[in-house]
Amino acid sequence: MGNRPPLAMRGGMLNPVPDKRFSARLAEYQARVEAALDRCLPAATEKPESLNEAVRYSVFGGGKRVRPVLVYAGGEAFNAEPAALDGCACAVEMIHTYSLIHDDLPAMDDDDLRRGRPTCHKAYNDATAILAGDALQALAFQVLVEDPGITVPAAQRLKMVDTLALAAGPGGMTGGQAIDLEAEDKKLGLDELQTMHSRKTGALIRASVELGALCSGTVDEQQFQSVSRYADCIGLAFQIHDDVLDIESDTETLGKPQGSDLERNKSTYPNLLGMEGAKQAARDMLEQALEHLSDFDEKADMLRQIALFIVNRNS
């Protein structure tokens, strides 16, 4: 992998939008994971029907599939075949969807709208939503263990299970949500806010890229650390941009209630840095992410394009 300058850098300036080919590649990977999820999930007609319907309602309720796409892009950077990546792509989307179902519950964020539709507990009921989230969490690890497309040695497969468990547990996403709930009506400092979001949002994003790399078999440790640091940067950029959108966008575009962070009196990057300061922080994270890929060749271009997409999306 040569010292190829990031394709997003043109004449020393950061190109503000993804390459035109990115949309086609994004759609390709989104369609691929949709098909794989359909194969992995129980049919809605299987018993218990209400649970399986709720699972499918939540998984196939829209969304950009950023995390599965990062699995495919991370694997691409390390020469993994797409078929070897389907299981991991499904697993991270299952974990992500389970987290959204539980985050929306009345005992958590109490949201009525997700991806432009009623949240799972509104479409069904609280108990079914809790069970749907539980089912998706279990299914994610079952897929990682059993998917025949994952052909790496057993020790590396075990590391993949560990990677996803760490990202989903108290040191990752679950812990980040706990910190978020405790922080309502409190003023967090910038370091505290970054710690919270590195767990709540960033941990699963980092795991997505790492799982893609691990699917390739033998992975150079230095390159693996580089993509991990890249993922840390885009995870933070993702959250900063989310905070900006919560103020600047609208409910119809977001697919969830606009202004909910302000309504709950949560600490956000615009609160601490101002709107322009937050936008600059997201751009700074983007540049740092691209720098971490400087030793990768064109096989990492999809990772570079996703970084651009994250700070330019409108929902």
Side-chain angles (χ1 to χ4, degrees):
M1 299 197 179
N3 292 316
R4 182 181 185 275
L7 92 170
M9 302 298 289
R10 314 283 191 189
M13 297 294 288
L14 188 65
N15 189 21
V17 294
D19 187 275
K20 291 180 180 179
R21 294 169 295 179
F22 172 73
S23 295
R25 298 293 307 286
L26 180 65
E28 175 189 337
Y29 283 144
Q30 288 169 333
R32 186 173 187 98
V33 75
E34 292 276 333
L37 284 164
D38 188 48
R39 294 193 301 269
C40 289
L41 293 173
T45 54
E46 288 185 28
K47 293 184 180 297
E49 293 93 338
S50 59
L51 173 62
N52 292 329
E53 285 176 12
V55 164
R56 284 183 165 266
Y57 174 86
S58 301
V59 170
F60 295 113
K64 296 173 285 297
R65 308 298 194 203
V66 170
R67 291 153 191 85
V69 171
L70 282 167
V71 172
Y72 290 118
E76 188 177 303
F78 287 87
N79 299 306
E81 292 296 324
L85 299 162
D86 289 337
C88 288
C90 288
V92 297
E93 188 62 19
M94 289 174 183
I95 291 291
H96 177 56
T97 304
Y98 126 69
S99 75
L100 299 181
I101 294 172
H102 282 193
D103 287 0
D104 290 336
L105 287 166
M108 295 278 200
D109 291 346
D110 194 16
D111 281 326
D112 296 341
L113 195 66
R114 171 69 65 179
R115 294 169 172 170
R117 305 194 307 171
T119 49
C120 186
H121 69 278
K122 286 293 181 181
Y124 296 88
N125 54 59
D126 291 6
T128 300
I130 292 168
L131 292 173
D134 292 345
L136 282 167
Q137 184 184 41
L139 282 166
F141 290 100
Q142 182 181 356
V143 168
L144 275 189
V145 171
E146 296 183 357
D147 182 64
I150 301 172
T151 57
V152 298
Q156 193 151 328
R157 195 164 191 144
L158 182 61
K159 184 174 182 180
M160 293 162 71
V161 172
D162 186 53
T163 296
L164 188 58
L166 288 170
M173 187 180 67
T174 308
Q177 175 69 358
I179 295 169
D180 194 16
L181 290 171
E182 293 169 359
E184 288 187 16
D185 295 320
K186 294 180 182 177
K187 183 74 171 179
L188 295 184
L190 194 58
D191 288 344
E192 293 173 302
L193 189 63
Q194 183 169 331
T195 296
M196 179 180 76
H197 288 308
S198 69
R199 293 186 179 195
K200 183 177 179 181
T201 304
L204 192 57
I205 285 176
R206 182 175 64 252
S208 299
V209 178
E210 291 178 347
L211 287 171
L214 289 169
C215 281
S216 66
T218 304
V219 179
D220 177 83
E221 183 61 26
Q222 184 174 343
Q223 292 172 350
F224 186 80
Q225 292 302 319
S226 292
V227 294
S228 294
R229 288 190 288 269
Y230 151 88
D232 285 337
C233 291
I234 65 166
L236 186 54
F238 188 101
Q239 185 58 54
I240 295 170
H241 192 61
D242 254 15
D243 287 354
V244 170
L245 290 176
D246 189 64
I247 296 171
E248 289 193 339
S249 191
D250 56 79
T251 297
E252 183 177 357
T253 302
L254 290 173
K256 59 183 180 179
Q258 181 268 343
S260 58
D261 288 343
L262 290 174
E263 195 172 296
R264 297 188 186 100
N265 198 26
K266 289 187 175 183
S267 293
T268 66
Y269 285 94
N271 285 352
L272 295 178
L273 302 175
M275 187 62 76
E276 288 308 311
K279 290 178 179 179
Q280 183 59 52
R283 290 192 291 268
D284 290 344
M285 287 296 103
L286 168 60
E287 292 197 50
Q288 288 180 38
L290 296 174
E291 287 172 6
H292 288 308
L293 299 179
S294 61
D295 288 336
F296 286 76
D297 62 15
E298 67 278 358
K299 291 187 179 69
D301 278 354
M302 192 64 180
L303 288 175
R304 297 182 178 104
Q305 296 289 351
I306 294 170
L308 290 164
F309 171 74
I310 279 172
V311 297
N312 286 283
R313 72 192 198 285
N314 62 5
S315 64

